[in-house]
Amino acid sequence: MTSLKLNLVVVTTIVVAYLHFPTTMDRNNWIVGGARGWIVPPNPNYSESWKKGKEFFTSDVYWFVIKNKSHNIIAVNKEAFDACDPNKDANATLVTKTRTRS
């Protein structure tokens, strides 16, 4: 009987681990723009060609690699984004947790 209980515990542990495994593996780290990083697009289709064939998830992490002091990143709502005007979002926030490359 002890062997049956132990087997049940082992099987339950494996099932729980298996069900949890995909949720821990779905996160991707993306360097936005690829090897060039976050730059002014050299052609009109640059962003489209970079994202082609990729699948993005809300759990993903996006890295904006920029040249030091050449850009700033501000989190804004859709209205401010569409207008390209951070003043249209009263809660616009300058993103300060960044790492830059020279």
Side-chain angles (χ1 to χ4, degrees), residues 4-5 7 13 18 21 26 29 33 40 42 50-52 72 80 82-83 87-88 90 98:
L4 180 62
K5 287 181 181 178
N7 285 341
T13 303
Y18 177 77
F21 185 73
D26 284 342
N29 284 286
V40 174
W50 174 76
K51 70 179 187 176
K52 185 177 182 180
N72 56 21
D82 289 344
N87 295 317
K88 293 192 180 279
T98 61

Side-chain angles (χ1 to χ4, degrees), residues 38-50:
W38 184 251
I39 60 171
V40 174
N43 62 61
N45 298 327
Y46 181 73
S47 297
E48 290 297 320
S49 62
W50 174 76

Side-chain angles (χ1 to χ4, degrees), residues 1-76:
M1 190 67 160
T2 303
S3 177
L4 180 62
K5 287 181 181 178
L6 181 60
N7 285 341
L8 184 59
V9 169
V10 170
V11 169
T12 302
T13 303
I14 291 170
V15 168
V16 169
Y18 177 77
L19 292 174
H20 181 67
F21 185 73
T23 62
T24 61
M25 297 304 293
D26 284 342
R27 174 185 279 188
N28 292 309
N29 284 286
W30 298 101
I31 297 176
V32 178
R36 292 181 167 193
W38 184 251
I39 60 171
V40 174
N43 62 61
N45 298 327
Y46 181 73
S47 297
E48 290 297 320
S49 62
W50 174 76
K51 70 179 187 176
K52 185 177 182 180
K54 295 174 175 65
E55 189 171 2
F56 300 102
F57 300 95
T58 55
S59 62
D60 289 350
V61 176
Y62 302 93
W63 295 91
F64 291 82
V65 179
I66 60 176
K67 288 188 177 182
N68 198 13
K69 298 181 181 177
S70 64
H71 297 278
N72 56 21
I73 301 170
I74 302 173
V76 296

